[in-house]
């Protein structure tokens, strides 16, 4: 299932099937995608947050972190999008536009199995930081 929803950052596709998401966006099928979760307990099951950055991760909003196990994960808090994630537990997330192109509502609605919201806004993507046990590096 591919969901079309207004995420905490921009209009996006959500699914637990990475290959299906990449196929819809005409990307390489094995291209990685960020994972959205709504609770830190689920984050703990997917990756380990280095102790040095736990406070930063907990307080960050609209920020994706790439963890030492190469998983890119964003925790969504205090946003209606979190309710959908509560039901799914976790989901791959990507913008609802064709690969390397701008947002198109017709494309988004045509390729979604379930449309969650009625209003969609295009906003800046999340910030991305890569963290290791000792370092942090801004990616986007």
């Amino acid at each position: 299932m591919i969901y079309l929803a207004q995420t905490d950052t921009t209009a996006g596709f959500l699914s637990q099937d990475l290959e299906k998401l990449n196929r819809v966006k005409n990307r390489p099928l094995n291209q990685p995608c960020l994972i959205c979760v709504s609770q830190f307990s689920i984050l703990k099951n997917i990756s380990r947050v280095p102790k040095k950055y736990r406070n930063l991760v907990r307080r960050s909003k609209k920020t994706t972190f790439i963890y030492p196990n190469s998983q890119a994960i964003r925790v969504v808090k205090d946003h209606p999008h979190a309710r959908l994630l509560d039901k799914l537990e976790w989901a791959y997330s990507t913008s609802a536009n064709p690969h390397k192109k701008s947002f198109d509502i017709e494309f988004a609605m045509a390729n979604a199995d379930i449309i969650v919201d009625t209003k969609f806004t295009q906003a800046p993507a999340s910030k991305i930081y890569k963290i290791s046990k000792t370092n942090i590096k801004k990616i986007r």
Side-chain angles (χ1 to χ4, degrees), residues 90 104 115 128 133:
W90 65 271
D104 177 16
I115 299 170
I128 298 179
K133 286 184 179 180

Side-chain angles (χ1 to χ4, degrees), residues 3 10 12 19 38 49 51 57 60 89 92 116 119 123 137:
Y3 299 87
T10 189
E19 195 174 296
S38 63
V49 181
K51 195 169 192 173
V57 170
S60 296
E89 287 193 8
Y92 292 109
V116 177
K119 288 186 180 178
K137 181 181 177 185

